[in-house]
Amino acid sequence: MQEHKITACIVPGTDPHASEYMAPHWTEMSWITGFLGETGTAVITLDQALLWTDSRYYLQAEAELQGTTVELMRESDVDCPSITEWLVAHLSPASAPRVAVNAEMYSVNGYRALKAELEEGGLSLVSIDLISPLWTEGRPAIPTSLLYEYSETYAGESVESKLARVRQAMKDKRCEALVVSALDEIGWLLNIRGKDVDYTPCLISYVVVEIDKCTLFVAPNKLDDAAHAYLERIGVCVEDYDQVFAYLQQLQVGSIMYDGGKVNEALYEAINEQVKRVNVSPSPVLKMQSIKNDVELEGERIAMRKDAVALTRFFYWLETEALQTPQTEITLAKKLGELRAMGANYTDDSFCTIAGWKGNGAIVHYHAEADACADIVGDGVLLLDSGGQYLDGTTDITRTVWVGDEALITDAVKRDYTAVLKGHIALANARFPKGTRGNQLDVLARQFLWSEGMTYGHGTGHGVGHFMGCHEGPQNIRTDNNTNPLQLGNICSDEPGLYRANEYGIRIENLIAVREAKNLGAHATGETFYEFETLTICYYDTRMIDMRRMTAQEIAWINTYHEWVYAEVAPHLTEKEAAWLKEKCKAL
Amino acid sequence: MQEHKITACIVPGTDPHASEYMAPHWTEMSWITGFLGETGTAVITLDQALLWTDSRYYLQAEAELQGTTVELMRESDVDCPSITEWLVAHLSPASAPRVAVNAEMYSVNGYRALKAELEEGGLSLVSIDLISPLWTEGRPAIPTSLLYEYSETYAGESVESKLARVRQAMKDKRCEALVVSALDEIGWLLNIRGKDVDYTPCLISYVVVEIDKCTLFVAPNKLDDAAHAYLERIGVCVEDYDQVFAYLQQLQVGSIMYDGGKVNEALYEAINEQVKRVNVSPSPVLKMQSIKNDVELEGERIAMRKDAVALTRFFYWLETEALQTPQTEITLAKKLGELRAMGANYTDDSFCTIAGWKGNGAIVHYHAEADACADIVGDGVLLLDSGGQYLDGTTDITRTVWVGDEALITDAVKRDYTAVLKGHIALANARFPKGTRGNQLDVLARQFLWSEGMTYGHGTGHGVGHFMGCHEGPQNIRTDNNTNPLQLGNICSDEPGLYRANEYGIRIENLIAVREAKNLGAHATGETFYEFETLTICYYDTRMIDMRRMTAQEIAWINTYHEWVYAEVAPHLTEKEAAWLKEKCKAL
């Protein structure tokens, strides 16, 4: 730092591709602090080291930072300064302090926001990679999974067609090039997949699309003969991963499009200065990718059936056999994983299963560890949030069930479960005009909670990828501002919840797809209306419903859903399992 | 235009203060085209003249443009080009076309957006006032109403206190000056009012706030001795209206704050170039103004009682006497105005009453004219949207009533009225956490319509000023994006509607104020929740309700409301009127 006249250095827990699941190669924050949690940002000054992380990670960070000089900054606490505030307060402006970051780890928009904040406080921001020269020994390599073709049978659209649409979007913005760094967008655009990180079948790479050329930047060791043949067949040029910077430097075009929310600042800075850089966020690729075609939607339905069988078998096992031997949150998650893996075309889970027993269910991003997880003993509420990656599609489902003697279900549990369920149904039932945004519909899921002064601190729905990220934009159903309307073919989760600290957590989640609403009736006013198709196929635990709080319409909705669930799932079950499911699905 | 090398000139229907109701002095668009409607923009090229206006004004524009060379551009039609599109298509880029506007008539943000659009199409934008030198003869003067003090008894806060809060907001953004051009903000800030335009008690002026000085720019003929004394008392310096430009030119401060959505481009350009200009939209003044204090809220309740008496008397008259003689939409509006004017402290209506009989009620911004309005004959739906300005506060209310034989109320009317009413109640009943925006709640009012494929093309709720504009920001309850959360003390309308072209219009509107929700119960999760206090006091026509579509909770809500309405209004009525109201308010 002194060599470079740097006063402070920020090391975020991010990678150059704005990924949700990061390869160990990029865990610079963990390397420098010793903190292994997924979310955190390190700040190093000439005489101090600090780590900002949120309340989910306080205990882990305290343990892992023990004996180091790294100070823990508890960023969920109201009196905790932001990193910028801390830097402005602690670095003397007299010394014209320079703050360094590795520009590869910041999106263009994130870098610009940080720069503006620092400059308002009298600090300057410079791009220097201070970590790479130091972290040579023991640094994990960039993953080397192989690129494979994702068949058009599953993708439903040829690369040729996708590239043609993207090029039209470029022309619409008068751009002759587009740089793509988000791994899910690259996978969608070129119908390729890999296994470079857990849970998301992506492949570390960059893409530059030009009007008559498309170049994939990928490490040569990720390409076997089949991959080379495939890329040649779809007319995509290949360059080494790191060459993207040099390529952008020499690129001679009038204008290049980039998504400032995803593309990293280093890529941006690499672009030839003569080229006009047009920030379009979300990128046209993500917009297209979020609109599932008929083949993808049908694949999603197929994946859902397999998921439904696994979950039903799991809950049958849990209620009839499991507790004859000791079980923990981890053994339950393992069993569910085994059942899910029996589904055809299963490749992985889509995220780490959350099995939250009693009070652990109230920790929204709970992550059980083998050496620190709850035993499933006694009677109580189990929250189970899980999902699978199948070649056909990606699933994500949460059910909350009562384990043990149902006579012990409390009125409080029933009240909370019913309020969550009513919101879940209200959102699933929504009809709305074309152009409506998810944040306009979010209240439908929250209204019954809000009316009693209750709420939950997470979004109601996130977009879901197709054999890709379990979280995908640009659409969502949240309270936050989001200008992207819900589009035909979007898939979202519908997952209201309610959390009672140290007691239990309740969350109920289906995936729903946007489709056109038909049969609006003779009184419709003529606008195009959309509605949701429920994709997830799994019974709700009706023992926790307070029937007095349910309307006739809500009861009818559940009964219809349960009829469908039984019809879809029963043919794939044993006789005993089917009889058990029939009872679970009986009309209310 | 040729002298200035101008290829085209845009003349918008706006004034320098971004006003809703404009003084005739600024009707440049009407002067140049002959079109007298409130909304329209003229474009003059070297050989053409065009007028853009929306479908509300098509008939009027056709009539008024008859015999002129001005071409009507129907901007509500899907194939109508925008002004920019038209200019780009019709002006040859080879001639480096220059488009002129009077920068006083554009907000900074509006001007910038226009400039960017034109430049993208190869045109340049220049600021030249081409109209003023031509329109000298017969041009109405700037209004000369007198400035008067708006007593702290009504305003509830001293100017000293308001200025101190505004100066703090300036300091928070490191600004030493603030320029204010919106007339409602000036009225609120200095506790002054005037009568320069219809419906809104504002005074044409500018204000510049500095850390130790506040200057009002106002024509000297608007100040009598009392006004001078008042301004001196509150320590406000006075300069002539036009001097604001020179003042800004010589102002020596580091930074000046302005609201780019309100302050006009000419003011912006007048600011000394050495001064940093900080765009803060909405302005801190508007934010403060939108949060009504206890005195203002109590005044609002007082105004509502007077409004309630006038409306009840009106509807009594309408049902018992009015139709014994011929009535039209205009005579009804006149009668209501007379009854409202009998209220203490009444100064004006808050907008031009909309009385829409049958099919006219389906025209959302219907404006009856004496020579073109419907006779109230037969049986049907009457939509009545009106409001008053009282020193105590501003009102705005819509009721839809059946006129004539109630046996003739159709099922269709009942279905539509009930769907609108249910949404109106759902919004009034909403509870929501602090930080919630109006666009998150809008769906509550629309959900029952949407579920049957119906909707309405206007916002659900607009902010309302306090003895000031009937429309006020920054909060609202609309489908559009609006990042401003609802704040304690905000007043909004709650006015869903449904419109059947050529048949009838239904709209039901109360004003509601945001207050803290109490009695959340033992199960609340600890966040601060808000709810609405209904301010408007007027019965709903229950004859049009389809009781089969109402829930027990909705019926209970109406019954409770009607009990309150009767208790508040009856003491101010004759015995006959009270007995009639009792019947209207009887429990469902």
Side-chain angles (χ1 to χ4, degrees):
Chain A
M1 283 165 62
Q2 279 167 330
E3 274 169 31
H4 292 284
K5 302 204 169 103
I6 296 302
T7 326
C9 164
I10 308 178
V11 185
T14 53
D15 79 357
H17 301 279
S19 301
E20 182 169 8
Y21 297 103
M22 264 170 45
H25 176 77
W26 280 297
T27 53
E28 298 185 346
M29 175 274 291
S30 297
W31 175 75
I32 204 158
T33 63
F35 167 62
L36 302 176
E38 285 155 2
T39 304
T41 304
V43 170
I44 316 295
T45 69
L46 292 171
D47 53 8
Q48 274 183 285
L50 307 97
L51 171 78
W52 271 256
T53 192
D54 66 57
S55 56
R56 292 176 288 165
Y57 297 99
Y58 286 177
L59 290 176
Q60 181 180 352
E62 280 163 19
E64 290 171 353
L65 299 183
Q66 188 115 41
T68 73
T69 58
V70 181
E71 186 182 343
L72 175 61
M73 301 297 284
R74 294 171 173 79
E75 71 183 20
S76 303
D77 295 5
V78 283
D79 57 348
C80 180
S82 72
I83 289 172
T84 313
E85 286 165 353
W86 189 91
L87 287 170
V88 169
H90 285 76
L91 305 185
S92 155
S95 62
R98 283 154 48 95
V99 177
V101 297
N102 179 353
E104 278 190 58
M105 304 303 172
Y106 280 85
S107 72
V108 174
N109 295 354
Y111 185 89
R112 297 295 152 90
L114 177 65
K115 189 175 161 76
E117 275 182 39
L118 289 173
E119 285 178 356
E120 194 163 331
L123 314 183
S124 61
L125 181 64
V126 293
S127 307
I128 303 178
D129 177 5
L130 294 167
I131 305 295
S132 297
L134 303 176
W135 189 17
T136 48
E137 202 174 322
R139 180 169 194 162
I142 293 178
T144 57
S145 82
L146 288 177
L147 179 153
Y148 63 93
E149 175 184 356
Y150 184 55
S151 165
E152 204 180 310
T153 317
Y154 297 119
E157 183 178 6
S158 69
V159 174
E160 189 184 355
S161 165
K162 290 178 178 182
L163 280 171
R165 290 202 288 143
V166 167
R167 284 173 174 139
Q168 186 56 52
M170 289 157 54
K171 283 178 195 161
D172 291 346
K173 296 279 179 186
R174 297 165 200 239
C175 290
E176 295 100 51
L178 167 73
V179 54
V180 186
S181 64
L183 304 184
D184 59 335
E185 296 179 23
I186 293 170
W188 177 84
L189 181 62
L190 300 185
N191 286 349
I192 57 174
R193 297 292 189 271
K195 184 123 196 50
D196 276 344
V197 299
D198 288 337
Y199 307 126
T200 306
C202 62
L203 192 91
I204 290 160
S205 52
Y206 293 106
V207 158
V208 174
V209 182
E210 294 158 78
I211 294 302
D212 50 8
K213 190 178 175 192
C214 177
T215 310
L216 174 70
F217 298 85
V218 62
N221 60 4
K222 303 170 81 66
L223 302 179
D224 61 8
D225 289 350
H228 276 295
Y230 171 65
L231 293 171
E232 195 171 324
R233 178 152 54 84
I234 61 171
V236 167
C237 305
V238 176
E239 301 253 7
D240 200 349
Y241 179 62
D242 289 328
Q243 286 304 306
V244 67
F245 297 98
Y247 193 89
L248 289 172
Q249 265 151 15
Q250 60 71 40
L251 188 64
Q252 303 285 338
V253 293
S255 298
I256 187 166
M257 191 191 289
Y258 70 100
D259 175 351
K262 293 279 178 72
V263 164
N264 70 59
E265 172 72 13
L267 276 180
Y268 176 90
E269 289 174 6
I271 297 167
N272 188 322
E273 285 197 357
Q274 252 109 69
V275 177
K276 186 176 169 195
R277 290 165 275 193
V278 180
N279 189 346
V280 175
S281 188
S283 86
V285 178
L286 185 61
K287 277 190 172 174
M288 292 174 196
Q289 170 187 346
S290 72
I291 297 173
K292 307 316 182 217
N293 60 42
D294 289 345
V295 172
E296 290 172 314
L297 286 169
E298 190 49 35
E300 197 64 29
R301 293 184 196 103
I302 292 167
M304 284 295 179
R305 254 172 251 139
K306 293 183 274 200
D307 232 37
V309 172
L311 279 156
T312 307
R313 287 195 167 143
F314 171 82
F315 286 123
Y316 172 79
W317 168 80
L318 178 65
E319 204 169 294
T320 59
E321 300 169 29
L323 298 174
Q324 291 161 14
T325 52
Q327 300 290 347
T328 69
E329 291 165 335
I330 293 281
T331 61
L332 295 193
K334 189 162 165 285
K335 175 73 175 183
L336 177 58
E338 288 163 7
L339 289 166
R340 194 173 252 126
M342 291 166 68
N345 288 339
Y346 168 92
T347 66
D348 198 351
D349 282 357
S350 60
F351 57 96
C352 183
T353 294
I354 298 172
W357 175 239
K358 294 188 177 175
N360 288 343
I363 303 168
V364 172
H365 290 270
Y366 179 61
H367 189 94
E369 296 286 352
D371 56 352
C373 72
D375 296 323
I376 311 299
V377 288
D379 312 273
V381 175
L382 174 72
L383 184 155
L384 190 71
D385 189 351
S386 67
Q389 293 286 6
Y390 306 84
L391 288 177
D392 320 87
T394 302
T395 67
D396 180 5
I397 170 172
T398 310
R399 284 295 181 271
T400 302
V401 297
W402 181 262
V403 176
D405 181 356
E406 66 181 85
L408 298 176
I409 301 174
T410 64
D411 286 348
V413 165
K414 286 191 179 182
R415 180 196 64 228
D416 289 350
Y417 185 87
T418 307
V420 171
L421 181 63
K422 284 167 71 82
H424 170 84
I425 295 171
L427 179 58
N429 261 334
R431 272 182 169 165
F432 48 93
K434 180 180 173 178
T436 298
R437 304 176 310 279
N439 54 24
Q440 296 176 250
L441 302 182
D442 173 83
V443 65
L444 296 175
R446 295 182 193 263
Q447 59 185 321
F448 304 103
L449 296 166
W450 282 6
S451 70
E452 298 188 65
M454 310 188 288
T455 194
Y456 48 94
H458 57 76
T460 297
H462 55 82
V464 178
H466 181 257
F467 188 48
M468 194 42 87
C470 181
H471 295 133
E472 180 182 281
Q475 84 285 358
N476 58 30
I477 301 172
R478 298 178 64 91
T479 55
D480 323 38
N481 270 310
N482 177 341
T483 57
N484 298 285
L486 294 169
Q487 307 268 12
L488 285 181
N490 278 172
I491 294 179
C492 269
S493 67
D494 167 9
E495 49 176 318
L498 191 59
Y499 306 92
R500 301 291 181 187
N502 305 314
E503 295 186 62
Y504 53 82
I506 289 166
R507 184 161 67 248
I508 303 176
E509 176 187 25
N510 283 348
L511 298 192
I512 52 183
V514 181
R515 69 178 175 200
E516 189 160 346
K518 303 287 188 190
N519 307 317
L520 293 173
H523 320 306
T525 44
E527 297 81 4
T528 299
F529 275 79
Y530 294 166
E531 63 184 14
F532 295 116
E533 170 192 355
T534 294
L535 298 170
T536 304
I537 317 172
C538 184
Y539 79 94
Y540 304 102
D541 191 342
T542 55
R543 299 170 300 174
M544 288 188 281
I545 296 177
D546 179 350
M547 290 297 286
R548 295 164 307 175
R549 290 170 178 257
M550 299 284 282
T551 66
Q553 289 93 326
E554 287 160 350
I555 293 168
W557 189 90
I558 295 220
N559 287 341
T560 304
Y561 180 74
H562 275 170
E563 271 179 43
W564 176 65
V565 167
Y566 182 76
E568 291 281 326
V569 181
H572 307 284
L573 301 177
T574 65
E575 221 167 280
K576 268 189 184 172
E577 288 165 343
W580 176 88
L581 180 61
K582 187 151 196 121
E583 180 66 20
K584 292 290 175 195
C585 291
K586 74 164 187 267
L588 294 177
Chain B
M1 285 166 61
Q2 277 166 333
E3 274 168 30
H4 293 283
K5 301 205 169 101
I6 296 302
T7 326
C9 163
I10 308 177
V11 185
T14 53
D15 78 357
H17 301 278
S19 301
E20 180 168 11
Y21 297 104
M22 265 172 43
H25 175 78
W26 280 298
T27 54
E28 297 184 345
M29 176 274 290
S30 297
W31 174 77
I32 205 159
T33 63
F35 167 63
L36 302 176
E38 285 154 3
T39 304
T41 304
V43 170
I44 315 296
T45 70
L46 292 171
D47 54 8
Q48 274 182 286
L50 307 96
L51 170 77
W52 272 256
T53 191
D54 66 57
S55 56
R56 294 175 287 165
Y57 298 98
Y58 286 177
L59 290 176
Q60 181 181 352
E62 281 164 17
E64 289 171 354
L65 299 182
Q66 186 114 44
T68 74
T69 59
V70 181
E71 186 182 343
L72 175 60
M73 301 297 284
R74 295 170 172 80
E75 70 183 20
S76 303
D77 295 5
V78 283
D79 57 349
C80 181
S82 73
I83 289 173
T84 313
E85 287 166 352
W86 189 91
L87 287 171
V88 169
H90 285 76
L91 305 185
S92 156
S95 62
R98 283 154 47 95
V99 177
V101 297
N102 179 352
E104 279 190 57
M105 303 304 172
Y106 280 85
S107 72
V108 174
N109 294 354
Y111 185 89
R112 296 297 150 92
L114 177 63
K115 189 175 162 76
E117 274 183 40
L118 290 174
E119 285 176 357
E120 193 163 332
L123 314 182
S124 60
L125 180 64
V126 293
S127 308
I128 304 176
D129 178 5
L130 294 166
I131 305 295
S132 297
L134 303 175
W135 189 16
T136 49
E137 202 175 323
R139 179 167 194 162
I142 293 178
T144 57
S145 82
L146 289 177
L147 178 154
Y148 64 93
E149 174 185 358
Y150 184 54
S151 166
E152 205 180 310
T153 317
Y154 298 118
E157 183 179 6
S158 69
V159 174
E160 191 184 354
S161 165
K162 290 179 178 180
L163 281 171
R165 291 202 288 143
V166 167
R167 283 171 175 141
Q168 186 57 51
M170 289 156 55
K171 283 177 194 161
D172 291 346
K173 295 276 179 188
R174 298 164 198 238
C175 290
E176 294 100 51
L178 166 74
V179 53
V180 186
S181 65
L183 304 183
D184 59 336
E185 295 179 25
I186 293 171
W188 177 85
L189 181 62
L190 301 184
N191 286 349
I192 57 174
R193 297 292 188 272
K195 184 124 195 51
D196 276 344
V197 299
D198 288 338
Y199 308 126
T200 305
C202 62
L203 191 91
I204 290 159
S205 53
Y206 293 105
V207 158
V208 174
V209 182
E210 294 157 77
I211 295 300
D212 51 7
K213 191 178 173 192
C214 177
T215 311
L216 175 69
F217 298 86
V218 61
N221 61 4
K222 303 171 81 68
L223 303 178
D224 61 9
D225 289 350
H228 276 294
Y230 171 66
L231 293 171
E232 195 172 320
R233 178 151 56 83
I234 61 171
V236 166
C237 305
V238 175
E239 301 253 7
D240 200 348
Y241 179 63
D242 288 329
Q243 287 304 306
V244 66
F245 297 98
Y247 193 89
L248 289 172
Q249 264 151 15
Q250 60 71 43
L251 188 64
Q252 303 285 337
V253 292
S255 297
I256 186 166
M257 192 190 289
Y258 70 100
D259 175 351
K262 293 280 177 73
V263 164
N264 70 59
E265 171 72 13
L267 275 182
Y268 176 91
E269 290 175 6
I271 297 168
N272 188 320
E273 286 199 356
Q274 253 109 69
V275 177
K276 187 176 168 195
R277 291 165 272 194
V278 181
N279 189 346
V280 175
S281 187
S283 86
V285 179
L286 185 61
K287 277 190 172 175
M288 292 175 196
Q289 170 187 345
S290 73
I291 296 173
K292 307 316 182 213
N293 61 42
D294 289 345
V295 172
E296 291 173 313
L297 287 168
E298 190 50 35
E300 197 64 30
R301 294 184 195 103
I302 292 167
M304 285 295 180
R305 256 172 250 140
K306 294 184 275 200
D307 231 38
V309 172
L311 279 157
T312 308
R313 287 195 168 143
F314 172 82
F315 286 123
Y316 171 79
W317 169 81
L318 179 64
E319 202 169 296
T320 61
E321 299 170 29
L323 298 174
Q324 291 160 15
T325 52
Q327 300 291 347
T328 69
E329 291 164 336
I330 293 282
T331 62
L332 295 192
K334 189 162 165 287
K335 176 72 175 184
L336 177 58
E338 288 164 7
L339 289 166
R340 193 173 252 127
M342 291 166 69
N345 288 339
Y346 168 92
T347 67
D348 198 351
D349 283 357
S350 60
F351 58 95
C352 183
T353 294
I354 299 171
W357 175 239
K358 295 187 176 176
N360 289 342
I363 303 167
V364 172
H365 290 270
Y366 179 61
H367 188 95
E369 297 285 353
D371 56 353
C373 71
D375 296 323
I376 311 298
V377 289
D379 311 273
V381 175
L382 175 71
L383 184 155
L384 189 71
D385 189 352
S386 68
Q389 293 286 5
Y390 306 84
L391 289 177
D392 320 87
T394 301
T395 66
D396 181 4
I397 170 173
T398 309
R399 285 294 180 271
T400 302
V401 297
W402 182 262
V403 177
D405 182 356
E406 65 182 84
L408 298 177
I409 301 174
T410 63
D411 286 347
V413 166
K414 286 191 178 182
R415 179 196 64 228
D416 290 350
Y417 184 87
T418 306
V420 171
L421 181 63
K422 284 167 72 82
H424 170 85
I425 295 171
L427 179 58
N429 261 334
R431 271 182 169 166
F432 48 93
K434 179 180 173 178
T436 299
R437 305 175 309 280
N439 54 25
Q440 296 176 251
L441 301 182
D442 173 84
V443 65
L444 296 175
R446 295 183 194 262
Q447 58 185 322
F448 305 102
L449 297 166
W450 282 6
S451 70
E452 298 188 65
M454 311 189 287
T455 195
Y456 48 95
H458 57 76
T460 297
H462 54 82
V464 178
H466 181 256
F467 188 49
M468 196 39 90
C470 180
H471 296 132
E472 180 182 280
Q475 85 285 359
N476 58 32
I477 300 171
R478 299 178 63 93
T479 55
D480 322 40
N481 269 309
N482 177 341
T483 57
N484 298 285
L486 293 169
Q487 308 268 11
L488 285 181
N490 279 171
I491 294 179
C492 268
S493 66
D494 168 9
E495 50 176 316
L498 191 59
Y499 307 92
R500 300 291 182 188
N502 305 314
E503 294 186 65
Y504 53 82
I506 288 166
R507 186 162 64 249
I508 304 176
E509 175 187 26
N510 283 348
L511 298 193
I512 52 183
V514 181
R515 69 177 174 200
E516 190 161 344
K518 304 287 188 191
N519 307 316
L520 292 174
H523 320 305
T525 44
E527 297 81 4
T528 298
F529 274 79
Y530 294 165
E531 63 183 15
F532 294 116
E533 171 192 354
T534 294
L535 298 169
T536 304
I537 317 172
C538 184
Y539 79 94
Y540 304 102
D541 191 341
T542 55
R543 301 170 300 175
M544 287 187 283
I545 296 177
D546 179 349
M547 289 297 286
R548 294 164 307 175
R549 289 169 179 258
M550 300 283 282
T551 66
Q553 288 92 327
E554 288 160 350
I555 292 169
W557 188 90
I558 295 221
N559 287 342
T560 304
Y561 179 75
H562 276 170
E563 271 179 44
W564 175 65
V565 167
Y566 182 76
E568 290 282 326
V569 181
H572 308 283
L573 300 177
T574 66
E575 220 168 282
K576 269 189 182 170
E577 288 166 341
W580 176 87
L581 180 60
K582 188 152 196 120
E583 180 66 19
K584 292 289 175 197
C585 291
K586 73 163 188 267
L588 294 176

